[in-house]
Amino acid sequence: MAGPTIIIEPSHDTPLVWFDVSIRGGAAADPRGVEGLHRHVALLARRGAGRRDRSELDETLDNLGAAVDVGVSRDAVTVSGLALSRHIDAVIDLAADILAEPRWSEDEHARLLRETPQVLDEIRDDDSALATRWFDWVCTPGHAYGRTSLGTEASIQRIERSAAIDLWRSEVTADNLVIGLAGDVDEATSSRIVARLLERIPAAGKRSVIAEPTSTAAPGPNGGRRLILVDKPDRTQAQLRIGHLSIRYGHQDTAAIAIAEAIFGGMFSSRLMQEIRVKRGWSYGAGCALRRSRKPHWFEMWLAPGAAVAGEAAKLTLDMYAELAEHGPTDAEVDFARSYLVGAMPFQSATARSRMQLAVRDAVLGVAPGYTMGLAQLVGEVSASEVRRACAAHLRPENTMTVAVSTASLIREHLPSEDGTLMVVAHDAY
Amino acid sequence: MKSAWQLEAEASIGPAGRGHAVKRFRLSNGLGVITVIDRRAPIVALQTWFRVGSRHERPGATGMAHLFEHLMFGQTEQLPPGEFDRLVERTGGESNAATWVDWTYYRLSLPTRDLPLGIRLESERMQHLVLEHTPVEAERDVVTNERRERVEDDVDGWLDEQLMAQAFTAHPYRWPTIGWMEDIRALALPEIRSFYRTWYAPNNATIVCVGDFDEEALLDLVSSAYGGIEPAQMPDAPKIVEPEQTRERIVRAPKPIATDRLLVGYKAPGQDEPDWATLEIIATLLAGCPSARLYRRLVIEREAASSVDAQLTPFADPSLLRLAVTTTRGHDADEVLAVIDAEIAAMAKDPPTKAEVEKAKAIAETDFWTSLVDVDGKAEALGHYETALGDFRKVTTIAERLAAVTAEDVARVVRSTLIPSRRTVVIAQPESDDAADDGEETDD
């Protein structure tokens, strides 16, 4: 039986210790119709564990100057901690309680069901978050990564406490964990901490395989660009998200696409920033990224032009993207991006905490240990022709979804919807 | 070359026995250099801090300091447009900048081997920035879009701007660092050039370098690159004292949001004043952790808010202790204000327990060390204290100041500071169906 993956990164520069315990199986593994379940169970576990109820747990952690939080991504739930090194044993015991002995308070369960819709309200108030939420949902209908960790107003109300408990018990097993520890700890303390975290956790649960997204296959419809205008009153600009389903992180072309990403929208010198911001002053920012996930995820572009130029900006972005897909970058651009990406790696791995987090993420995403730290070497070995081939193979300008959050009456007629696929929705409809 | 430098101050930053030495050197033209050797990674944080922020602007020309945050990445006499960013990005490094009320700083993160490039670039743009019509207009458009994104279309940005505008009537803290939209559009080229000549001078700057480098080599590089720059005549800095606030100020306005949001600002002392540390403790006790009093009352017990946050703005002159609250469905800002008043009254009447104060100190200790984890964080802390408060060594006294706070101090400062007549409240409320006719409403 495989045990947990364990990563230790000591550093004695400050008297702090960080730990991440990632539980494979995140929001993408929520049951269909019960979206939000992983987030709900993780927050519920944090609201009372062992002999302490929520208030006592909060008070105890605060008295130590420590924090233990839960986070939910598409691929994992992560219990993260930060403690002064003199208190690390006490904080680890509290984290172990959260992992092994949540109290599953009925009151807190009911409270969470009331609270989560308020978080949806906050997203609706935030144009950038709203654009991302809509884009995730509509980019590739049916894809597991389209379901955000929060769920919907309807799915939240379907969450049952018993199902939440069952989910936690099936996933919090030693063979399903990735444990990372960084900071002011020596080897002996690290071993003791890991043993303490694991001593009350079953080696394996009923499910002996890693939780997988319930669906990853469904691609978006081929046959044209789609555009959704999310109508919100009183906007002066448009939050734009443009993209499509692409490759998974760790795919053999990851290094080539990382170079294309840097050239198109990953640097200040990138094509998008130069054309959208520097030459035209249309948007404060403009960029793109391949989402790093366990399964194939989006290649996504973003910008926030003023409403008066939103249509032109969207059209220019799509035209530039089509040009990149067809012709790829020049040799000089590839050389420049390679230099940037290889040179940037020491910054990403400069602290013990960042090295630990990169390694934990690699394990969660199912790539080889050290993959991200070694990506710079792979980038250095990719030729310009390989980058052009990867662009032609994986960039899909003919099959993009565009989401625009703005005031429909201001920008509708200017948006590039030549094939009539524009749909207008109310900003609070999802 | 090191002999050209005057070593002015030394200290240590970090845990006892394993801290890093911090030194401040001064060049004859007034340029300050702060160094910290940290060899954990082959990188350097190179930051150039200028003692110029939005407080140094005049009414009608707000946003000038922030505009430079953009212009300084443009063309210089030696560098064609875009070359600054290309040179930095080719190394794998990054560049950015920040402007606030008391300062502006420019940040380069570079591989150690490229430190000479960084010094050359910073020296070049301190002296030889090209300020012509075309690049200025392009950046003006970018800044107006930045403002739309951060203020016009962002309710939290709007709340923040309104709070400062209402809370201050005389002090320059009353205008937003990004500037009023009409001022950004009107900034004239001659005044832009004059601003550059006035404030971008060696005797108004401090270079902070943290990371894996050779100190003597750095000082040689800086001497060569900056030694020939003449100091500028700095304008007199008139001491502007904000009049005592004697009545509560309240502003309400409709916004396209789901529930009420409010931002409350109580007049607070500047960061260097004795009661600052006590207010840091108070902010934590009110809303700085999951067991904080307001968080418990509003979020957990009454379920009247989805979030509560407290922040003490780290300004040189007296500023604000701010409470930000997002209400939940079925609750409103007036209910939240009543709870805030009740909690503050309770804290004024009965001092917190010693254990409660110790809790806030433990959280502050963790926050302090967290801010110093990487080379950028160390450089930012040192640069801020040197530029806003006049001496980087004040970073090293934070722990002592916090440790000295007592429960009685907390009650005393709550009674003297957190009173309704010294506060400003800004409330954003969901629009009604006829919101188009609603305007802002101010009570004073």
Side-chain angles (χ1 to χ4, degrees):
Chain A
M1 186 69 64
T5 302
I6 297 168
I7 294 130
I8 311 287
E9 283 285 349
S11 168
H12 305 289
D13 197 54
T14 56
L16 296 173
V17 181
W18 293 263
F19 60 87
D20 282 352
V21 181
S22 281
I23 306 156
R24 295 181 177 97
D30 281 342
R32 197 167 289 281
V34 198
E35 291 83 4
L37 180 62
H38 274 86
R39 175 182 177 275
H40 185 92
V41 67
L43 288 172
L44 191 54
R46 171 63 181 78
R47 293 183 177 191
R51 64 177 190 275
R52 295 174 179 85
D53 64 16
R54 178 185 184 180
S55 290
E56 292 164 338
L57 187 54
D58 287 344
E59 191 77 43
T60 306
L61 283 164
D62 289 344
N63 284 337
L64 297 167
V68 175
D69 297 308
V70 295
V72 183
S73 71
R74 296 326 196 256
D75 295 307
V77 166
T78 300
V79 178
S80 299
L82 166 61
L84 293 159
S85 45
R86 64 179 183 271
H87 296 318
I88 186 60
D89 285 309
V91 176
I92 283 293
D93 284 346
L94 297 170
D97 283 346
I98 291 167
L99 289 163
E101 295 180 44
R103 291 172 70 136
W104 308 121
S105 158
E106 291 199 27
D107 286 348
E108 290 297 339
H109 166 69
R111 184 199 302 273
L112 262 173
L113 294 181
R114 294 190 297 272
E115 279 181 8
T116 306
Q118 316 285 345
V119 183
L120 295 178
D121 282 346
E122 292 192 29
I123 286 178
R124 292 178 188 124
D125 290 351
D126 178 337
D127 293 5
S128 179
L130 185 63
T132 298
R133 179 171 166 84
W134 273 93
F135 180 79
D136 284 343
W137 189 38
V138 299
C139 180
T140 303
H143 193 291
Y145 289 157
R147 288 173 282 143
T148 63
S149 61
L150 278 169
T152 66
E153 303 251 1
S155 73
I156 291 162
Q157 300 312 317
R158 294 190 200 103
I159 293 174
E160 294 182 358
R161 179 173 161 274
S162 59
I165 297 169
D166 288 346
L167 182 77
W168 191 258
R169 287 178 177 157
S170 68
E171 292 189 350
V172 182
T173 58
D175 63 336
N176 196 36
L177 301 183
V178 181
I179 300 173
L181 191 63
D184 189 21
V185 284
D186 56 29
E187 201 171 315
T189 307
S190 300
S191 301
R192 192 174 71 243
I193 285 171
V194 171
R196 258 179 154 143
L197 276 171
L198 291 172
E199 65 187 3
R200 285 175 282 158
I201 293 174
K206 293 175 192 167
R207 175 185 10 216
S208 58
V209 295
I210 294 168
E212 295 288 350
T214 53
S215 164
T216 60
N222 293 311
R225 295 171 175 171
R226 295 158 293 145
L227 195 154
I228 289 186
L229 173 50
V230 181
D231 186 19
K232 187 173 177 182
D234 303 342
R235 302 299 87 193
T236 67
Q237 60 180 187
Q239 282 284 348
L240 295 176
R241 301 289 182 276
I242 304 171
H244 57 82
L245 186 62
S246 188
I247 60 173
R248 74 177 288 255
Y249 185 62
H251 181 283
Q252 62 184 7
D253 285 336
T254 298
I257 291 298
I259 291 172
E261 172 191 276
I263 290 166
F264 194 64
M267 305 178 286
F268 197 87
S269 303
S270 70
R271 291 185 182 187
L272 270 178
M273 280 296 270
Q274 292 301 306
E275 294 297 325
I276 298 290
R277 170 172 161 153
V278 176
K279 288 187 185 172
R280 294 171 176 81
W282 278 350
S283 173
Y284 174 57
C288 71
L290 172 71
R291 295 264 198 101
R292 273 71 168 155
S293 300
R294 186 174 177 81
K295 296 292 178 181
H297 206 163
W298 329 139
F299 189 93
E300 182 179 351
M301 295 159 267
W302 59 85
L303 56 159
V309 295
E312 285 178 273
K315 183 176 185 311
L316 176 62
T317 301
L318 285 163
D319 289 348
M320 290 170 59
Y321 191 54
E323 204 282 330
L324 179 71
E326 184 176 355
H327 301 294
T330 65
D331 289 1
E333 285 179 314
V334 172
D335 177 64
F336 186 90
R338 262 199 309 251
S339 178
Y340 169 70
L341 292 169
V342 171
M345 184 46 70
F347 299 97
Q348 294 178 40
S349 57
T351 66
R353 185 191 185 200
S354 60
R355 289 190 295 276
M356 178 270 281
Q357 289 180 327
L358 286 176
V360 168
R361 192 186 68 166
D362 279 357
V364 166
L365 300 190
V367 295
Y371 178 81
T372 299
M373 294 280 276
L375 192 57
Q377 186 178 342
L378 296 178
V379 164
E381 294 166 354
V382 175
S383 69
S385 60
E386 287 173 307
V387 176
R388 287 190 280 271
R389 180 195 53 74
C391 286
H394 304 303
L395 306 186
R396 300 276 180 224
E398 75 287 355
N399 190 29
T400 52
M401 166 57 76
T402 299
V403 167
V405 173
S406 190
T407 302
S409 59
L410 289 178
I411 72 164
R412 179 175 185 159
E413 63 183 293
H414 305 299
L415 290 172
S417 59
E418 64 276 5
D419 54 0
T421 57
L422 186 148
M423 183 165 68
V424 181
V425 295
H427 80 281
D428 53 359
Y430 168 57
Chain B
M1 188 75 78
K2 192 173 179 179
S3 58
W5 291 91
Q6 179 189 352
L7 174 60
E8 280 189 342
E10 288 184 272
S12 175
I13 189 169
R18 46 187 163 134
H20 297 281
V22 191
K23 298 177 190 172
R24 182 179 63 215
F25 299 90
R26 185 79 60 191
L27 200 55
S28 56
N29 61 9
L31 178 69
V33 175
I34 293 174
T35 62
V36 180
I37 308 294
D38 178 345
R39 301 204 186 280
R40 285 174 300 154
I43 59 174
V44 291
L46 178 66
Q47 300 181 356
T48 307
W49 289 71
F50 292 92
R51 284 179 287 275
V52 60
S54 54
R55 66 181 299 165
H56 301 97
E57 298 161 349
R58 66 167 179 83
T62 67
M64 180 74 85
H66 172 261
L67 179 63
F68 271 88
E69 182 188 316
H70 290 245
L71 295 172
M72 287 284 279
F73 293 88
Q75 183 180 354
T76 71
E77 290 177 10
Q78 297 293 322
L79 301 169
E83 188 67 3
F84 187 102
D85 290 306
R86 282 192 291 273
L87 286 169
V88 171
E89 287 179 336
R90 183 173 278 284
T91 71
E94 286 188 355
S95 58
N96 212 329
T99 312
W100 213 0
V101 293
D102 298 316
W103 44 248
T104 304
Y105 81 92
Y106 297 85
R107 177 172 74 80
L108 290 178
S109 301
L110 293 166
T112 294
R113 65 176 179 276
D114 294 303
L115 182 56
L117 170 69
I119 296 294
R120 179 168 72 84
L121 291 175
E122 290 295 358
S123 160
E124 169 71 8
R125 66 177 169 179
M126 183 192 279
Q127 305 172 73
H128 302 305
L129 191 64
V130 173
L131 294 168
E132 300 294 350
H133 176 80
T134 301
V136 168
E137 292 313 305
E139 286 308 325
R140 193 193 306 273
D141 286 345
V142 172
V143 173
T144 57
N145 276 309
E146 180 182 0
R147 192 187 146 83
R148 288 188 185 104
E149 188 165 348
R150 294 188 171 178
V151 182
E152 268 78 1
D153 286 6
D154 184 311
V155 67
D156 291 323
W158 177 85
L159 285 165
D160 182 74
E161 185 170 283
Q162 286 300 310
L163 178 70
M164 300 303 280
Q166 299 297 330
F168 293 92
T169 58
H171 198 284
Y173 289 166
R174 69 185 185 275
W175 57 73
T177 296
I178 197 168
W180 300 114
M181 188 67 101
E182 61 270 27
D183 290 352
I184 298 167
R185 288 183 171 134
L187 292 171
L189 194 52
E191 190 168 353
I192 291 170
R193 288 175 177 150
S194 170
F195 192 90
Y196 177 63
R197 284 192 300 271
T198 301
W199 299 107
Y200 284 78
N203 51 322
N204 197 42
T206 304
I207 293 172
V208 184
C209 191
V210 181
D212 179 20
F213 62 95
D214 179 85
E215 184 183 277
E216 193 159 343
L218 170 78
L219 294 176
D220 284 350
L221 284 167
V222 174
S223 247
S224 299
Y226 291 86
I229 310 175
E230 290 296 317
Q233 179 69 41
M234 287 295 119
D236 291 335
K239 180 76 178 169
I240 299 172
V241 178
E242 176 67 20
E244 187 76 10
Q245 183 174 343
T246 56
R247 286 200 300 172
E248 182 180 35
R249 300 167 189 158
I250 300 182
V251 178
R252 298 171 194 264
K255 292 286 167 185
I257 51 177
T259 59
D260 285 7
R261 290 180 181 224
L262 69 158
L263 190 56
V264 184
Y266 292 89
K267 287 286 168 53
Q271 196 176 9
D272 217 11
E273 295 179 48
D275 284 338
W276 168 268
T278 304
L279 273 164
E280 277 276 272
I281 297 293
I282 291 169
T284 302
L285 292 176
L286 286 174
C289 56
S291 65
R293 292 180 177 210
L294 279 176
Y295 185 86
R296 219 163 238 185
R297 295 290 171 272
L298 287 169
V299 176
I300 299 177
E301 293 174 7
R302 299 177 74 102
E303 297 184 40
S306 56
S307 65
V308 182
D309 183 47
Q311 188 203 17
L312 190 55
T313 43
F315 294 172
D317 285 351
S319 61
L320 300 175
L321 186 149
R322 303 141 60 102
L323 299 173
V325 184
T326 301
T327 65
T328 53
R329 298 173 188 178
H331 298 269
D332 62 29
D334 293 321
E335 176 189 350
V336 165
L337 269 179
V339 174
I340 290 172
D341 286 341
E343 278 306 316
I344 288 173
M347 200 183 275
K349 181 169 176 285
D350 300 313
T353 63
K354 187 169 186 298
E356 202 177 0
V357 174
E358 292 305 312
K359 172 177 74 178
K361 290 179 183 177
I363 290 167
E365 183 184 356
T366 303
D367 289 346
F368 173 71
W369 291 123
T370 302
S371 73
L372 299 179
V373 165
D374 58 24
V375 292
D376 292 316
K378 286 190 185 77
E380 276 175 32
L382 294 166
H384 168 78
Y385 276 86
E386 177 74 9
T387 308
L389 305 184
D391 192 340
F392 75 86
R393 288 171 292 189
K394 290 175 180 173
V395 175
T396 64
T397 66
I398 296 172
E400 289 168 32
R401 292 176 70 187
L402 290 166
V405 175
T406 65
E408 290 68 32
D409 290 333
V410 169
R412 173 182 58 78
V413 174
V414 166
R415 282 194 291 270
S416 64
T417 306
L418 303 188
I419 47 183
S421 62
R422 287 169 53 87
R423 79 179 174 196
T424 303
V425 182
V426 186
I427 300 170
Q429 297 172 305
E431 290 174 336
S432 57
D433 290 341
D434 55 352
D437 296 330
D438 291 346
E440 287 176 17
E441 177 189 330
T442 304
D443 306 330
D444 192 331

